[in-house]
Amino acid sequence: MTDVYEQAYSLARAWIDDLPNVPAGAPSTLGELRDLFEATLPETGELPEEIIPDLAHRARGGLNANASGRFFGWVMGGSVPSALAADWLVSAWDQNAAIYAVSPIGAVIEEVAGAWVKDLFDLPRDASFAFTTGCQLAHVTALASARHAVLKRAGWDVEEDGVFGAPAIRLISTHNRHDSIDRAARFLGLGRASIAVVETDALGRMDADALRRVLADTSGPTIVSLNAADLNIGAFDNFETLIPIAKAAGAWVHIDGAFGLFARVSRAKAHLVKGIEQADSWSTDGHKWLNVPFDCGIVIIRDSHAHRGAMAQSADYIDLDTGGRNQLDWNLEWSRRARAIPVYAALREMGRSGVEALIDRCCAYCSTLVERIGALPGAEIVVAPELNQGLVRFTRDGASDEENATFTDEVVAAINDTGEAFFSPTIWNGIRAMRISVVNWQTNDSDVDRAVAAARSVLEELRRA
Ligand SMILES: *Cc1c(COP(=O)(O)O)cnc(C)c1O
């Protein structure tokens, strides 16, 4: 009888090997996928060896090939081989990385991975850190620590007394912030109304004088959240100027560096994040640019006491006093996946120089894609990338902006329909555009050629129509 683990391995292996040939975007429709899967809860069980091949067969049409080098939608990432393989081991080992006692190796590898990550980004070596499910919960962790610290300075113990009746906290950012900052503010009881929006320049970067004005109008506990690369064009706030202004006003400075913090690893791009080390907390993702499998955000916090004060808990029935790392003192979760292990593997596989090469390669391919697609008849560059994100749009002669927006959507959908490449549409400064994001270690010259060829043939056809 075939072994279910062998089956899963060969199915996974076939998917990986076939990535250059599969459609970049999932070919099936929502209706088709529901038809394939919707059923009543089975009353009796089935054999694992029957479930797994059937599951993989039915799932096929609903898989986006974001693991391939031809996927440029959103900001997705990929998985370097050792990280994916380590993730398989993590599942097989089934470790609960909650505290040292329940997974000694989960705790020890996390200590090492955390130290390596601080070294990689050249952030304070005595800062605390946590591996979260993603950047969203990295923000929640960081802003919970910020909430702890700024309210403590105001004489309020938020862990004991909660947020009702506490001095109001102001969260200062720009319109260019990611929605996950707003959600973190909501989860933490700050509410969306606590967010003060500072004006930006045309590229969405916070204006220093405007920040000064907002700070002058603000009294009490304050948090400033800055962007290390926005989703659309990878715009960076000017940390060197802004952080000292915020700090002088007594604010806690948080950085959303979901992918942009990786500019710190590239000597060619490090100027974009100059001064970022002066912040109080930094959120980033392993599952985006570090190319580890999903379920990996990272937060680094300068004031480890604030971090621990916000997160730590103790329960009598567990053995916490082991000397090892107890992750629940730094994380929102109790039971959790040993998600630092794939990070450890990826950093060993690439080393500092390999991560730098990955960043530089992605940035170079993004520039090439934007230039080559932007140069096609019917295309124009909206914003050329400074990092790994750029925008193009598609136009017809004499068409209005509205018509061109519709046309851009049509072209994106038609490129995606070819299966050769996948892009996602966006709106930037009121302009409907196609976003080009390069975040995958696998992207190569041939992937770029195929994407450009797909765009060319779609444009030729649609402009004739
Ligand atoms: C992706 C992203 C997030 C959210 O990260 P998740 O890992 O999806 O939770 C936040 N901010 C920015 C700038 C992002 O690109």
Side-chain angles (χ1 to χ4, degrees), residues 75 134-136 139 178 180 229 231 256 258-259 285 287-288:
V75 186
C135 197
Q136 170 72 76
H139 290 334
H178 192 267
S180 52
L231 272 182
D256 180 355
F259 60 93
D285 266 323
H287 57 211
K288 285 179 179 169

Side-chain angles (χ1 to χ4, degrees), residues 76-87:
M76 293 300 266
S79 295
V80 293
S82 68
L84 174 57
D87 202 60

Side-chain angles (χ1 to χ4, degrees), residues 143-152 158 163 169 188 190 223:
L143 295 183
S145 308
R147 185 183 66 170
H148 171 96
V150 298
L151 286 179
K152 189 173 170 193
V158 70
V163 287
I169 297 175
L188 291 165
L190 273 57
I223 301 168

Side-chain angles (χ1 to χ4, degrees), residues 5-86:
Y5 303 129
E6 297 288 347
Q7 286 177 328
Y9 173 73
S10 47
L11 287 161
R13 187 68 218 224
W15 169 251
I16 293 165
D17 291 344
D18 218 16
L19 280 173
N21 313 313
V22 298
S28 298
T29 63
L30 173 63
E32 286 165 352
L33 293 172
R34 284 187 174 148
D35 285 346
L36 278 166
F37 280 91
E38 273 179 358
T40 50
L41 172 70
E43 287 302 326
T44 55
E46 292 171 70
L47 289 174
E49 295 78 9
E50 285 166 9
I51 300 164
I52 293 305
D54 178 62
L55 166 66
H57 178 69
R58 290 182 203 228
R60 192 71 190 234
L63 292 171
N64 274 336
N66 45 283
S68 89
R70 294 176 290 121
F71 198 92
F72 309 105
W74 305 287
V75 186
M76 293 300 266
S79 295
V80 293
S82 68
L84 174 57

Side-chain angles (χ1 to χ4, degrees), residues 11 22 32 37 154 170 197 266 288 379 381 393 395 402 413:
L11 287 161
V22 298
E32 286 165 352
F37 280 91
R170 210 86 240 264
V197 178
S266 158
K288 285 179 179 169
I381 297 174
R393 70 168 189 155
T395 58
E402 212 166 278

Side-chain angles (χ1 to χ4, degrees), residues 238-455:
N238 184 333
F239 308 112
E240 224 182 358
T241 309
L242 299 169
I243 296 177
I245 297 172
K247 290 280 207 170
W252 173 294
V253 180
H254 175 64
I255 307 289
D256 180 355
F259 60 93
L261 192 59
F262 281 81
R264 194 109 171 126
V265 189
S266 158
R267 279 162 293 183
K269 300 293 177 186
H271 63 278
L272 297 167
V273 284
K274 209 161 166 224
I276 204 171
E277 70 284 352
Q278 300 172 71
D280 295 293
S281 53
W282 303 264
S283 291
T284 191
D285 266 323
H287 57 211
K288 285 179 179 169
W289 226 347
L290 189 59
N291 278 233
V292 302
F294 280 106
D295 193 50
C296 185
I298 303 166
V299 65
I300 298 169
I301 296 174
R302 179 185 298 281
D303 179 354
S304 61
H305 296 285
H307 186 182
R308 214 189 142 91
M311 290 295 144
Q313 81 141 43
S314 62
D316 295 341
Y317 61 93
I318 49 167
D319 185 8
L320 285 170
D321 197 16
T322 52
R325 178 176 172 86
N326 293 315
Q327 291 94 325
L328 58 70
D329 284 344
W330 310 101
N331 269 82
L332 286 154
E333 304 108 319
W334 240 106
S335 300
R336 65 194 264 282
R337 187 172 179 78
R339 60 174 69 93
I341 295 178
V343 171
Y344 167 83
L347 289 175
R348 271 187 67 178
E349 178 175 337
M350 289 185 275
R352 193 193 308 275
S353 61
V355 179
E356 182 181 34
L358 166 66
I359 302 312
D360 289 344
R361 201 165 66 237
C362 288
C363 293
Y365 279 132
C366 185
S367 293
T368 307
L369 277 167
V370 170
E371 273 163 32
R372 289 180 59 191
I373 295 177
L376 297 171
E380 65 184 45
I381 297 174
V382 177
V383 182
E386 258 194 308
L387 194 69
N388 65 328
Q389 311 281 118
L391 301 176
V392 297
R393 70 168 189 155
F394 304 105
T395 58
R396 274 199 264 237
D397 299 338
S400 67
D401 276 350
E402 212 166 278
E403 288 163 340
N404 285 332
T406 309
F407 184 57
T408 295
D409 283 351
E410 275 173 45
V411 174
V412 174
I415 295 173
N416 294 348
D417 279 347
T418 68
E420 284 291 282
F422 188 97
F423 297 93
S424 51
T426 190
I427 297 173
W428 181 81
N429 275 5
I431 303 167
R432 191 74 174 162
M434 180 175 93
R435 179 134 57 84
I436 299 175
S437 171
V438 187
V439 220
N440 192 308
W441 69 282
Q442 306 225 57
T443 297
N444 60 26
D445 290 336
S446 146
D447 295 330
V448 169
D449 288 343
R450 286 170 68 177
V452 175

